[in-house]
Amino acid sequence: MPAPELSVVVPVFNEAASIAPFLARIGPVLAEHAPDHEIVFVNDGSRDATLAVLMDHLGRNPRLRLVDLSRNFGKEAALSAGLDFCTGRAVVPIDVDLQDPPELIGEMLQLWRDGYEMVLAQRSERSTDAWSKRTSAGLFYRLANRLSGVDLPHNVGDFRLMDRRVVEALSLMPERTRFMKGLFAWLGFKQTTVQYARAARAAGDTKFRLGSLWRLALDGLLSFTTAPLKVWTYLGVLFATGAFGYLSFIIGRTLIFGIDLPGYASLLACILFFSGLNLVGLGVIGEYLARVFIEVKRRPLYIVRDAAGFEATANPALHRRRI
């Protein structure tokens, strides 16, 4: 079968209440702007009724596709699975919570038809997000852009349109620790941006907690820069220079004024400080080493339990697992 013009990729985890509102809203948009389309849901090991709801809609909507993962592998892996399985000439990843407006897809498609290979959706206003999330996100983007060689567009998430060539290029990147926003930015291609205001969730609550966001940010920083490793060389030179200067001062003072009584408290403080510094340095090395350990094992990025709604002869992803 010929590939559809547009694939919409939707990773879901415990989103049973969000699926019906999402389909009701995106359906008319796709019917108007891309009648030849498919919607690829990736069930990332949901523990609620998400799978049952998806199967119910699958039986009534021939445009729906379903990739059911064997367990929860995380959003980055689920998104990668959706990109592997979709076949559209243009691809739009989008969250099911409707914080990203499906109505923007029409404008993105027009820009793609005009020749752009990636259309970024940038949040011009995100007052619906908590202050702490907005502030931490701003700090992360500034830090990542300063440390890495990749320019991460500020306030741009996974919601974007990609040409098939972009998706194929992304499939050549086999790393297991995946920060999709960084991978998208690394690819390049001819890009443009559209603005939108981020809305509140239509149903349910966010699955990203503080710990998840911290791990994602850490993956993003360590995947695209070696600066945290290099900084310890400069710190070592700085402290060694300071120690040599202080030693010279002590020797000179002793030669001039004689030996004074050593200070136990200052000595203990210095030992504790430099011991802590050593442990931080070892921790940074450990973070990189752990990622090397994950990569060399070459475990699959995800395992598919089942896939439904696809034509087996048209989709090579049905005959393989990502390795």
Side-chain angles (χ1 to χ4, degrees):
M1 293 181 63
E5 181 182 35
L6 176 66
S7 292
V8 179
V9 176
V10 193
V12 290
F13 174 65
N14 293 345
E15 295 283 5
S18 301
I19 293 169
F22 173 80
L23 289 174
R25 185 166 164 187
I26 199 173
V29 174
L30 298 179
E32 177 183 356
H33 297 285
D36 184 18
H37 69 269
E38 65 177 1
I39 303 177
V40 181
F41 281 95
V42 183
N43 179 38
D44 189 21
S46 297
R47 294 186 288 269
D48 64 354
T50 295
L51 181 58
V53 173
L54 287 173
M55 292 301 295
D56 179 62
H57 284 280
L58 190 71
R60 295 184 278 112
N61 188 341
R63 297 288 183 181
L64 262 57
R65 314 284 184 259
L66 173 62
V67 180
D68 184 28
L69 302 187
S70 61
R71 65 170 178 84
N72 178 246
F73 286 90
K75 184 183 177 182
E76 309 297 283
L79 178 55
S80 298
L83 295 176
D84 282 347
F85 273 79
C86 71
T87 58
R89 300 191 297 277
V91 180
V92 174
I94 188 173
D95 291 338
V96 75
D97 56 19
L98 293 176
Q99 287 193 279
D100 302 324
E103 292 77 12
L104 203 61
I105 292 177
E107 183 180 352
M108 298 163 80
L109 277 168
Q110 186 56 55
L111 290 167
W112 170 67
R113 291 164 182 153
D114 289 341
Y116 289 100
E117 295 162 312
M118 193 182 305
V119 182
L120 311 180
Q122 187 174 48
R123 304 156 187 162
S124 60
E125 197 276 323
R126 51 186 305 180
S127 59
T128 55
D129 291 338
W131 176 86
S132 57
K133 185 175 181 180
R134 297 196 306 269
T135 303
S136 59
L139 290 173
F140 167 76
Y141 282 113
R142 284 193 291 271
L143 182 61
N145 286 333
R146 181 175 293 272
L147 294 180
S148 71
V150 177
D151 183 19
L152 287 178
H154 190 70
N155 278 335
V156 173
D158 296 326
F159 183 40
R160 65 188 67 212
L161 183 145
M162 295 175 287
D163 185 81
R164 169 52 52 181
R165 284 176 290 182
V166 178
V167 177
E168 293 297 331
L170 187 66
S171 69
L172 300 176
M173 307 173 76
E175 57 244 54
R176 271 66 178 166
T177 304
R178 300 177 75 78
F179 179 63
M180 298 301 290
K181 299 177 187 63
L183 296 180
F184 292 145
W186 186 89
L187 288 172
F189 289 94
K190 187 178 179 182
Q191 300 183 12
T192 188
T193 302
V194 294
Q195 304 284 331
Y196 75 100
R198 189 165 171 83
R201 286 183 62 96
D205 56 358
T206 180
K207 307 306 182 292
F208 274 102
R209 308 302 180 191
L210 181 60
S212 301
L213 291 172
W214 167 251
R215 288 191 295 272
L216 182 63
L218 198 61
D219 286 341
L221 288 174
L222 300 187
S223 295
F224 289 92
T225 178
T226 58
L229 286 173
K230 294 177 179 178
V231 72
W232 294 100
T233 300
Y234 300 107
L235 284 175
V237 172
L238 177 64
F239 282 111
T241 303
F244 179 77
Y246 184 68
L247 178 63
S248 301
F249 169 74
I250 292 297
I251 292 175
R253 191 180 65 172
T254 301
L255 291 175
I256 297 173
F257 300 105
I259 300 175
D260 57 355
L261 193 66
Y264 173 78
S266 59
L267 180 62
L268 182 61
C270 288
I271 291 174
L272 291 175
F273 173 74
F274 285 106
S275 296
L277 204 63
N278 284 332
L279 289 175
V280 172
L282 287 174
V284 172
I285 295 173
E287 289 287 346
Y288 279 95
L289 185 60
R291 283 157 177 77
V292 174
F293 177 64
I294 292 171
E295 295 295 327
V296 299
K297 287 190 292 186
R298 294 189 59 80
R299 289 178 181 171
L301 180 59
Y302 58 83
I303 297 294
V304 177
R305 178 179 172 272
D306 196 11
F310 294 94
E311 290 289 337
T313 56
N315 197 325
L318 292 172
H319 304 291
R320 64 178 171 83
R321 297 293 179 265
R322 188 170 187 128
I323 59 174

